[in-house]
Amino acid sequence: MRKWLGHLVPHKLKYRLFAVFALVILLPFSVLNLYNYQKIESLVQNKISEQSHEQLDNLHRSLEDQLSIAFKTLIFLEQDSEIRRILQKPEERSVLDNKEIMEDKFKGLNNSFFLYNPSVYFTLLDNSSHVYTSYPPNKSLNYSQIASNPSFKALEEAKSSYLWVSDDANYVSRDISKSPTLLSLYAELRDRSNRAYGLARISIDFSFWFQSMLQKSESDQAYFIMTRSGEVIARSIPDASLSPEAIGEIASLPQSGHWTDQQSDSLVNYSYLSSLDWYLVDRIPLHLLFREIETLKKQYFVTFYVITAAFIAVAFMIAHAFTRPLSHMQRKMKEAVRKDLRIRLPEKRYKGEILELTRTFNAMMVDMNGLVQRLRAEERQKDAVHFQMLLAQMNPHFLLNTLNTMKWIGLRGGNEEIVEICLSLGKLLETSLNSDVDLIHLRDEIELTRAFLYIQQVRYGNRFQVEFSYDEELVYALVPKLSLQPLVDNAIQHGIGNMAEGGRIWIRMGRSPQLPDRLTLEVEDNGVGIGQPGRNRGEGRKRPSIGLQNVRERLRLLFKDKGELEIIPLEQGTLCRMHLPVLLSEPYESVRQSDII
């Protein structure tokens, strides 16, 4: 925490003065003003939302009136004796006479109920294959096709007297109505004995009604009719749309309310119609609501920041007068570093606290010169000791030569096990001696791990099994050299080493499911887990395993924060998981051909 604060806090005095001014005066005052303006905007938004809901309520009531009128017309059609007689006994008059009477009835209904909004269409069917309509259809009338309408079937299956269909396909001629869907009331016509003598379909062109109701609305203010499933079926502006976030928020609960859509920068008000399972939605751009407030805010903050800038300039001038001697001392200190601390400040130019500071600086230079001389002497002594230690170390190449000798002895004696152990150990030693390479191919790392496992299998008498699984496309991915071996060694030594039988180790390599650009290497065992009691587990172990610490440190040095080693305790055993970036390095063609040969 202190380290981060050290990066944030300025080091120069004049910048610190400015930081104090900004944190104590400027920042709190700015935050307070922003808070006040946000409160004002919130109040304005709530007020506009209330007014918008009043408009939506008016639309709601108007639509309910349309539904009520549709019911009234259905009752009128059902109770009209002349219509009932035509549907029950169409043979009493000619087809043209029946059609003329029906059209007069439809015109009378439109003139009576829909004088100001005549976009309502009637369809009546009798039981004798006759159809009567108040509109020109978009295709020729077919009794069987209309009677087999799924809505009539649903009405019959539900055994209900009527059924509302909110997305009925428009069957009216395009010259009359261009709306894609209609709001239709399907019903059976019954006489006083409750016998069905016909079918009725009363459709409302709600898109026409919607446009006619919103002719005087604001040009930038858009209205929508939306179903519960999120489908927008009518809109006041042809190109207007609701964002997916707004649709999800509205359709989440069947209720009325308002919501601020950050994506479209607008206020969304909505009202729920339970009878049709619809929403009436009003979208108002926020720039319309806060146009005057934004102008006032800009004027205020421009004035505020101009005055603040002038104040800061004066503060910097005053701070510069105080900090100029300190800046001079700072430059001298940098110069002292370049001249091996052999510099002094003149003491006659300063007075008071600056004079004391100058004397202290000169004394410090003398002391530091003496300290540097002592450190150089100690470094020479350390170099001499380190040279002697290097001379005392065993030459690692001597070990390789010894292993080769043991291998030839095993070949002459016919002992294949000694030969394989020497070969496996030679691979490990040769790889560890190659200090010029830090990253190797995954397939080479797998081979080194197999060599190490062979030695351990011989040591433990094949008491455990090992399973490898990896993607073939990742065999040329670059991984740290000898990174799997410490994990496998940890699983054997502290997990399954003391198991008499049944020990298993799973080694998995592949891309991380969450991050495809990361390579995940896992070593899992079914031995004694971390923190689990185990027989003889940990005996003679005086310090924590340095192998895992070595792997973790190498990951940090090679990949920074993109390399990670996790130790995960399981119910049975332990999982070591290593994460590192996917670095694919395809070999040269000659190397591939040599591998095939």
Side-chain angles (χ1 to χ4, degrees):
M1 188 65 179
R2 291 183 179 179
K3 183 178 179 181
W4 286 104
L5 290 176
H7 289 293
L8 295 176
V9 175
H11 299 286
K12 290 190 175 182
L13 181 58
K14 57 182 178 181
Y15 297 133
R16 289 192 176 188
L17 292 175
F18 168 72
V20 170
F21 167 74
L23 293 176
V24 177
I25 300 176
L26 182 61
L27 183 61
F29 191 69
S30 301
V31 171
L32 179 61
N33 282 282
L34 289 174
Y35 173 77
N36 290 332
Y37 275 106
Q38 287 179 354
K39 290 292 290 184
I40 295 174
E41 290 177 354
S42 178
L43 292 174
V44 172
Q45 182 173 318
N46 291 333
K47 186 65 177 178
I48 297 298
S49 179
E50 292 177 2
Q51 296 176 358
S52 177
H53 271 287
E54 291 179 0
Q55 297 175 357
L56 292 178
D57 290 340
N58 292 333
L59 287 174
H60 192 159
R61 286 191 292 270
S62 176
L63 184 57
E64 291 288 353
D65 290 342
Q66 295 291 320
L67 301 181
S68 176
I69 291 174
F71 269 113
K72 291 178 182 179
T73 56
L74 175 64
I75 295 173
F76 179 84
L77 291 172
E78 194 172 37
Q79 293 180 351
D80 189 289
S81 59
E82 194 169 7
I83 292 177
R84 186 187 312 122
R85 190 169 186 82
I86 290 175
L87 294 178
Q88 289 177 336
K89 298 179 179 180
E91 68 278 358
E92 291 184 352
R93 297 185 182 88
S94 66
V95 174
L96 293 178
D97 291 340
N98 289 338
K99 181 179 179 182
E100 184 177 356
I101 294 172
M102 284 293 188
E103 289 178 351
D104 290 339
K105 292 290 183 179
F106 294 152
K107 290 178 181 178
L109 287 174
N110 276 326
N111 293 332
S112 300
F113 293 106
F114 305 101
L115 181 61
Y116 300 103
N117 191 6
S119 53
V120 177
Y121 311 104
F122 303 94
T123 304
L124 296 181
L125 292 84
D126 60 12
N127 295 329
S128 302
S129 301
H130 294 95
V131 182
Y132 305 95
T133 64
S134 65
Y135 56 88
N138 58 4
K139 57 183 178 180
S140 59
L141 296 174
N142 187 315
Y143 177 89
S144 59
Q145 184 178 2
I146 298 175
S148 61
N149 189 300
S151 299
F152 282 125
K153 297 293 184 181
L155 178 67
E156 181 181 356
E157 293 175 358
K159 296 181 180 180
S160 177
S161 58
Y162 67 92
L163 174 68
W164 280 106
V165 178
S166 60
D167 57 349
D168 202 11
N170 191 353
Y171 48 81
V172 183
S173 172
R174 292 300 177 187
D175 296 334
I176 305 299
S177 173
K178 293 182 173 58
S179 302
T181 57
L182 301 174
L183 175 61
S184 299
L185 174 64
Y186 287 81
E188 281 186 339
L189 299 177
R190 296 181 178 273
D191 57 16
R192 295 177 181 178
S193 301
N194 201 28
R195 290 194 300 268
Y197 62 87
L199 298 173
R201 178 176 63 186
I202 303 173
S203 299
I204 301 173
D205 191 347
F206 64 90
S207 297
F208 177 82
W209 162 84
F210 192 60
Q211 295 290 338
S212 63
M213 291 293 295
L214 299 174
Q215 287 179 354
K216 298 181 180 180
S217 63
E218 294 287 341
S219 58
D220 293 333
Q221 187 173 350
Y223 290 83
F224 306 87
I225 296 180
M226 192 185 84
T227 64
R228 182 70 183 280
S229 62
E231 180 185 1
V232 177
I233 57 177
R235 64 197 75 204
S236 61
I237 301 176
D239 296 333
S241 62
L242 290 171
S243 66
E245 291 78 7
I247 293 175
E249 178 69 21
I250 295 171
S252 60
L253 290 174
Q255 61 185 10
S256 301
H258 68 275
W259 182 68
T260 302
D261 187 5
Q262 300 295 337
Q263 182 174 352
S264 61
D265 195 27
S266 58
L267 176 64
V268 179
N269 300 280
Y270 52 94
S271 177
Y272 178 65
L273 286 75
S274 58
S275 58
L276 296 175
D277 203 19
W278 282 1
Y279 293 92
L280 293 175
V281 184
D282 175 19
R283 191 195 67 194
I284 308 173
L286 292 179
H287 67 84
L288 293 179
L289 303 181
F290 307 130
R291 184 181 300 163
E292 297 181 357
I293 295 179
E294 287 294 332
T295 303
L296 181 62
K297 185 193 296 185
K298 290 179 181 178
Q299 293 176 352
Y300 172 79
F301 278 102
V302 166
T303 305
F304 173 73
Y305 285 120
V306 167
I307 296 175
T308 302
F311 187 87
I312 292 173
V314 174
F316 263 96
M317 292 174 62
I318 297 173
H320 180 70
F322 283 103
T323 58
R324 182 165 49 188
L326 298 179
S327 299
H328 177 66
M329 183 174 292
Q330 181 184 9
R331 290 193 298 271
K332 288 295 184 181
M333 292 179 71
K334 291 182 178 179
E335 187 178 352
V337 174
R338 293 195 300 269
K339 295 183 178 180
D340 295 334
L341 305 177
R342 296 175 181 176
I343 194 171
R344 298 293 182 272
L345 290 176
E347 299 180 3
K348 296 181 180 181
R349 296 175 54 182
Y350 306 109
K351 297 180 180 179
E353 292 85 355
I354 301 299
L355 177 59
E356 292 297 327
L357 187 60
T358 302
R359 290 174 179 174
T360 304
F361 174 78
N362 291 333
M364 183 180 64
M365 291 294 103
V366 175
D367 294 339
M368 290 181 66
N369 271 316
L371 181 60
V372 168
Q373 296 301 325
R374 290 195 297 270
L375 287 175
R376 287 176 178 174
E378 290 178 0
E379 285 296 327
R380 287 193 293 271
Q381 293 177 357
K382 288 182 180 179
D383 290 340
V385 172
H386 183 64
F387 180 72
Q388 294 297 328
M389 290 178 61
L390 291 176
L391 290 178
Q393 288 181 346
M394 178 185 293
N395 186 355
H397 294 283
F398 171 74
L399 294 177
L400 285 176
N401 294 332
T402 304
L403 282 175
N404 286 328
T405 303
M406 294 174 63
K407 180 186 70 175
W408 289 112
I409 293 174
L411 287 173
R412 287 197 300 268
N415 194 328
E416 294 293 335
E417 193 172 69
I418 292 178
V419 173
E420 290 298 328
I421 289 177
C422 291
L423 290 175
S424 298
L425 185 56
K427 288 181 181 179
L428 295 173
L429 282 176
E430 186 176 1
T431 303
S432 63
L433 288 175
N434 187 6
S435 59
D436 295 334
V437 178
D438 293 323
L439 298 175
I440 62 175
H441 288 135
L442 180 61
R443 66 167 192 174
D444 297 330
E445 180 67 15
I446 294 174
E447 290 300 319
L448 292 173
T449 306
R450 292 184 188 275
F452 175 76
L453 282 169
Y454 179 81
I455 298 174
Q456 295 295 337
Q457 289 280 24
V458 173
R459 175 186 174 187
Y460 288 94
N462 294 314
R463 286 186 294 171
F464 59 87
Q465 296 181 356
V466 182
E467 295 183 9
F468 283 85
S469 63
Y470 54 89
D471 296 336
E472 289 295 335
E473 64 173 5
L474 298 176
V475 294
Y476 294 110
L478 296 177
V479 298
K481 177 179 61 179
L482 294 177
S483 55
L484 281 176
Q485 181 267 333
L487 306 185
V488 175
D489 184 47
N490 182 73
I492 296 173
Q493 295 292 331
H494 308 293
I496 63 175
N498 295 315
M499 296 176 62
E501 59 183 7
R504 297 181 69 89
I505 297 177
W506 295 270
I507 302 175
R508 297 181 288 267
M509 293 150 282
R511 293 181 183 268
S512 176
Q514 294 78 16
L515 298 173
D517 61 339
R518 296 289 182 91
L519 179 64
T520 301
L521 309 180
E522 294 182 346
V523 176
E524 180 183 347
D525 65 82
N526 65 342
V528 179
I530 297 176
Q532 302 293 329
R535 184 178 59 185
N536 298 329
R537 186 174 182 266
E539 289 184 3
R541 192 179 181 193
K542 302 302 182 182
R543 60 179 180 177
S545 173
I546 63 173
L548 298 182
Q549 296 177 1
N550 179 277
V551 173
R552 186 176 283 110
E553 184 65 18
R554 283 197 291 151
L555 289 175
R556 184 187 67 81
L557 293 174
L558 290 171
F559 306 112
K560 304 299 180 185
D561 57 344
K562 294 184 179 180
E564 181 184 6
L565 176 62
E566 298 179 272
I567 309 298
I568 304 172
L570 306 175
E571 293 183 2
Q572 179 66 35
T574 304
L575 172 63
C576 295
R577 180 179 293 154
M578 187 191 314
H579 299 283
L580 57 151
V582 176
L583 302 175
L584 293 176
S585 175
E586 291 290 338
Y588 292 109
E589 191 66 27
S590 59
V591 177
R592 286 195 165 196
Q593 291 177 358
S594 64
D595 292 342
I596 296 174
I597 295 174

